[in-house]
Amino acid sequence: MAFDIEMIQARYKKMEAAITAAKKVVGRPLTLTEKILYSHLWDGNAQQAFSRGKDYVDFAPDRVAMQDATAQMALLQFMQAGRKKVAVPSTVHCDHLITAKVESGKDLGIALDENKEVYDFLSSVSTKYGIGFWKPGAGIIHQVVLENYAFPGGMMIGTDSHTVNAGGLGMIAIGVGGADACDVMAGLPWELKWPKAIGVKLTGKLNGWTAAKDVILKVAGILTVKGGTGAIVEYFGPGAESLSCTGKGTICNMGAEIGATTSTFAYDASMERYLRSTDRAEVADLANQYKEFLTADKEVYADPAKYFDEVIEINLDTLEPYVNGPFTPDLATPISKMKEEAAKNGWPTKVEVGLIGSCTNSSYEDISRAASLAKQVSAKGLKTKAEFTITPGSELVRYTIERDGFIDSFHKIGAKVFSNACGPCIGMWSRVGAEKKEKNTIVHSFNRNFQARQDGNPNTYAFVASPEITTALAIAGDLGFNPLTDTLTNEKGEQVKLDPPSGEELPPKGFAVEDAGYLAPAADGSGVQVIVDPKSTRLQLLAPFQKWEGTDLKGLKLLIKAKGKCTTDHISMAGPWLKFRGHLDNISNNLLIGATNFANGKQNEVKNQLTGNYEPVPQTQRAYKAAGIGSIVVGDENYGEGSSREHAAMEPRHLGVRAVLVKSFARIHETNLKKQGMLALTFANKDDYEKIQEDDVIDIIGLTSFAEGKPLTLVLNHKDGKKDEIAVNHTYNAQQIDWFKAGAALNLMKA
């Protein structure tokens, strides 16, 4: 039975009038993206056409989803908002805090014990405020959302960058920080700059070893990790219609890796099949009634160059499997070229571990195709050369694949099945030997492969591939193995070739589950008490940030000038630090410890201008805070790439950093900084990055006349007595400037 069916019915009833009004003001046919955006305007039907990449617009999302690591801070903020119940359907999913080590049952038991305080907090807050709660072990947020909540033509926000996964069911689903989620749950509008439009036309049909994952791996190679920034990617064409719904979800999921605001597909038969298979026939029936509003106008797909800012075409008939990496998800190598590229770049070719699953690739189809390869190991007399692990995406999928014999097939090749949780994908992997920091290679079907992300070892070369290719490379134990052309030597010394994978889009016997792991909130939660122990190391009630003092900011110390890639993993590491996601002061001890200091090329070692010594970043910043001195962080391109974690913005704010100045921002991180009352600034001239010196004391001039579209000035006071003045830009609108002046968006909400 579908959740929130009345909300979905109400949304569809509004669509025709909203889209008709939008077409009138825009004066041309609309993309699917535009139809969904215009039908979710906060102020009702469109009165004007909005400019892509320019206009800030208020929206009314249909729902909010939060995972446990980010939900803690989002709900701690919501508790300050003074609301009795969430204004839109909202859910919490406990998936991030379970460490993968032994196997599902044992690992889950340890997590339940270690995280009891956090789980009890999330459960009680959910019960009190009308939020659906998915217990630890129920599954990964994005898989559970796709199976239960996503619906064509809807709009949702979620406190995780891979919220975009729901685009596989025709939604506009966008990753945000907790402050944004707090606004929507409190009944306030959600603001987004009207996105640019990228169209990806798919022709042909996947065949042989190629999977949906290879589509986004190729797109990532084309657009790079920031090529989709500020844009929504809309997939269309006969190739799009040939993909399964969960395959579409995989493509949308990894759209986060190109910086895209989100990605989506038009409603089609595969989505209808998936909805019916997951017990949502009512939603499928509704979508069929409103089908014309759940796809672009015909003129758009007939002449895409006229309606999209950029168009990419991919022929699925000729698409080759890709392996992306290491250290970045956009370094795309066709499988046929991997042996050559590995040799040229000195990548270790022995595959130590193959890992499949995660929110990106844990559907029934993914697992069934990987299982078809696992069955060939014994049938062809082979032995799996690498370790192999499976992370199911939900209890629904896990129970079903166990019933259908796939887990048994994996166990027969020595594989471990971890809990229905994020696990190794986000660094929650207790990998034996990782502490030795040895150079090695792993291959996985996850979405991100940043340095040290999976196991904490900066010398682990992580490569991203489809579950099928990951399984084949684990069987071979060789990164240079090409299953399309190469043979393997079996235990008898014979040369054998793996057959292409095969599987089912959906379980022929239907999905099955005994306990999906859902807890409904109380009808009236007013009597529920939410208790946070003031001595807790895991949870801490929030104190409001101080409002702007009304003057220009002078005498700021340079905390760090970060060199190269600086993702949210570098700014606020996950892994073992996840345990402190509900305690702002404790987690602030990981501030920027992964960033590389331009001055000395080292991590977590910056010059403390008060002592002249090189010290850890958090220690240095705490010294500045204790002395009442503000500071500034300087960064490179696409600063804040990766996760939506707002801790990467809240930590510097909490410790007294006043501004972040970079060459360019990733979208979510820039918004998170603004929400927390920080100054998010960009170099007007990117070459001015070179002028920043280690001992600089910096003034920010122009704040007393801070205005939309008006640059600010930075004065760099160098140690030798010389000065440089540089212009810096910002993207603040009037409302966001008010957030800055109030000290944070939440301060304005409370007021």
Side-chain angles (χ1 to χ4, degrees), residues 19 89 133 150 157 295 321 398 530 535 609 617 702:
I19 291 170
F133 183 75
I157 61 169
T295 185
R398 190 213 62 79
V530 179
K535 296 179 182 178
Q609 292 191 41
V617 181

Side-chain angles (χ1 to χ4, degrees), residues 564-730:
K565 187 184 282 282
C566 194
T567 71
T568 50
D569 275 31
H570 296 87
I571 304 166
S572 174
M573 285 186 176
W577 289 95
L578 282 173
K579 67 171 68 77
F580 300 122
R581 283 283 181 88
H583 197 293
L584 182 55
D585 194 57
N586 282 346
I587 199 169
S588 293
N589 288 321
N590 77 0
L591 175 65
L592 285 159
I593 63 175
T596 299
N597 183 4
F598 185 93
N600 58 11
K602 296 181 178 180
Q603 294 179 343
N604 202 25
E605 188 177 298
V606 296
K607 191 170 187 180
N608 181 334
Q609 292 191 41
L610 301 180
T611 65
N613 299 325
Y614 284 90
E615 299 172 6
V617 181
Q619 180 180 323
T620 301
Q621 184 53 38
R622 286 187 185 277
Y624 293 155
K625 182 178 181 180
I629 299 170
S631 65
I632 184 169
V633 169
V634 174
D636 213 318
E637 296 280 8
N638 207 31
Y639 183 89
E641 170 192 344
S643 167
S644 70
R645 67 191 68 153
E646 65 183 342
H647 299 77
M650 295 186 79
E651 290 175 33
R653 181 73 171 101
H654 172 66
L655 292 183
V657 177
R658 302 302 300 270
V660 178
L661 170 64
V662 299
K663 292 180 181 178
S664 65
F665 281 107
R667 176 191 63 84
I668 301 175
H669 187 63
E670 181 181 21
T671 300
N672 286 345
L673 289 169
K674 292 177 178 181
K675 283 275 183 175
Q676 300 303 333
M678 295 274 284
L679 284 172
L681 308 173
T682 55
F683 290 99
N685 178 0
K686 292 183 180 182
D687 291 340
D688 286 342
Y689 172 88
E690 305 300 331
K691 295 179 180 177
I692 307 290
Q693 298 177 19
E694 187 177 33
D695 294 291
D696 280 352
V697 176
I698 300 169
D699 304 328
I700 302 178
I701 308 300
L703 290 175
T704 53
S705 57
F706 195 9
E708 185 173 352
K710 184 179 179 182
L712 299 171
T713 299
L714 258 65
V715 180
L716 310 177
N717 300 288
H718 304 306
K719 189 176 181 180
D720 61 7
K722 295 179 181 178
K723 295 185 179 184
D724 274 310
E725 284 195 9
I726 63 172
V728 294
N729 296 328
H730 64 84

Side-chain angles (χ1 to χ4, degrees), residues 71-80 121 532 540-542 582:
Q72 294 171 65
M73 201 58 72
L75 294 177
L76 284 165
Q77 291 177 84
F78 182 76
M79 288 167 65
Q80 295 188 59
F121 167 75
V532 174
Q540 179 187 48
L541 295 175
L542 294 173

Side-chain angles (χ1 to χ4, degrees), residues 160-240:
D160 190 287
S161 57
H162 292 106
T163 298
V164 294
N165 188 80
L169 248 176
M171 291 195 87
I172 292 294
I174 300 175
V176 299
D180 279 345
C182 181
D183 284 355
V184 175
M185 290 189 293
L188 299 176
W190 175 65
E191 183 188 71
L192 177 73
K193 184 179 285 187
W194 195 271
K196 293 176 286 185
I198 296 175
V200 179
K201 182 178 181 179
L202 303 179
T203 58
K205 191 174 183 179
L206 296 172
N207 60 86
W209 283 89
T210 312
K213 181 67 161 265
D214 298 305
V215 175
I216 185 59
L217 293 178
K218 182 174 180 66
V219 170
I222 295 169
L223 289 176
T224 77
V225 290
K226 66 174 189 173
T229 302
I232 290 180
V233 182
E234 186 171 323
Y235 291 84
F236 62 94

Side-chain angles (χ1 to χ4, degrees), residues 51 85 110 299 302 335 393 507 512 547 663 696 720 738 743:
S51 298
K85 191 174 182 179
I110 292 169
E299 297 91 334
I335 190 74
K547 68 178 184 179
K663 292 180 181 178
D696 280 352
D720 61 7
D738 286 341

